[in-house]
Amino acid sequence: MQRRNATTLIPSIAIFISGYTPLFLIMMIKDVQSVNWFTHSFNAPVWGISQISLPVGFIFKNVNVVWGLFLISLLSLALLWFVLKNITSNPFDITVTKAKSRSSEVVNYTIPYMISFVAFDLSKWQDLLSLILFLSILCLLSIRSQSIFINPILAALGYGLYDCSYKENGKDKECVMLSQRDLVAGDSVKYKKVNNYMGIIKS
């Protein structure tokens, strides 16, 4: 019997977007027009310092776009957290027979980040539309290729990717596994099938 995919369309899109929250952060930083500073002067120098200045606010050139990027990023990260928390319910017992790391593939995610270092202007609708179209195509390809969990945010959280051979109910199977622990031959673990090509190890 074929199991249903553990992630449906909306969570899949959110997981994809979460991988590009650092890109959105770079774009927001580049859109800063000026910085509001708080300055405090000491009555007497402390360790040779008579005053300190701290940034307390930012003024953006395109406030509405920046807020949109911020809210999209926040929502996608919240959905990613929700999916990771609930996706491993009712896991299956398996025994790993062979595992090979393929976490280096996450580096491929950095290629679209080059967008932020070219002449990209958040005030131009043409640039925004081009970004939306570009990310939409990448999102479609990621969902169709079942690779949405190849994600730098997950890598930052300690998740690694493994080409894994394993035994489940005495049957030999293969799958790409997402795991927060290093997988080695002989490990007995619990996992949940995410889609036809990928599973996630229960921590």
Side-chain angles (χ1 to χ4, degrees):
M1 182 177 67
Q2 187 177 15
R3 299 172 190 155
R4 289 181 57 196
N5 287 358
T7 50
T8 54
L9 181 61
I10 298 301
S12 295
I13 293 173
I15 293 167
F16 171 83
I17 293 174
S18 71
Y20 287 102
T21 51
L23 172 63
F24 298 155
L25 178 60
I26 292 171
M27 291 179 172
M28 287 187 278
I29 291 172
K30 290 189 66 177
D31 197 64
V32 173
Q33 187 172 29
S34 60
V35 180
N36 290 328
W37 294 87
F38 167 78
T39 301
H40 176 74
S41 298
F42 299 106
N43 294 328
V46 178
W47 296 319
I49 301 174
S50 59
Q51 72 174 27
I52 58 171
S53 296
L54 299 171
V56 294
F58 301 96
I59 298 175
F60 297 95
K61 290 179 285 187
N62 303 280
V63 178
N64 292 335
V65 176
V66 167
W67 269 111
L69 292 175
F70 176 76
L71 292 175
I72 289 171
S73 300
L74 198 62
L75 180 60
S76 68
L77 290 173
L79 274 173
L80 175 64
W81 173 83
F82 178 81
V83 169
L84 291 176
K85 184 178 179 181
N86 293 277
I87 200 171
T88 52
S89 60
N90 302 316
F92 296 87
D93 293 312
I94 62 171
T95 300
V96 177
T97 56
K98 186 170 65 174
K100 180 182 177 182
S101 176
R102 53 182 292 188
S103 297
S104 60
E105 292 187 14
V106 176
V107 176
N108 296 333
Y109 238 89
T110 62
I111 295 174
Y113 280 66
M114 297 177 185
I115 296 174
S116 62
F117 298 104
V118 298
F120 190 91
D121 190 346
L122 292 180
S123 65
K124 294 182 178 179
W125 67 266
Q126 296 96 330
D127 285 2
L128 287 175
L129 185 59
S130 298
L131 175 65
I132 292 170
L133 180 60
F134 178 65
L135 291 181
S136 297
I137 293 171
L138 285 182
C139 182
L140 178 62
L141 292 174
S142 295
I143 293 174
R144 288 292 179 88
S145 63
Q146 311 287 341
S147 60
I148 56 170
F149 282 93
I150 302 176
N151 184 315
I153 297 298
L154 290 174
L157 292 174
Y159 286 91
L161 284 172
Y162 297 86
D163 279 326
C164 188
S165 299
Y166 61 95
K167 285 186 177 294
E168 182 183 3
N169 296 327
K171 296 181 179 179
D172 292 319
K173 297 183 179 182
E174 292 183 352
C175 186
V176 176
M177 292 291 185
L178 187 70
S179 175
Q180 279 189 303
R181 56 178 289 183
D182 293 331
L183 294 181
V184 295
D187 282 348
S188 294
V189 295
K190 293 181 180 293
Y191 95 117
K192 181 69 176 287
K193 202 73 175 288
V194 175
N195 51 49
N196 293 333
Y197 307 98
M198 182 169 284
I200 182 169
I201 301 296
K202 183 175 176 63
S203 302

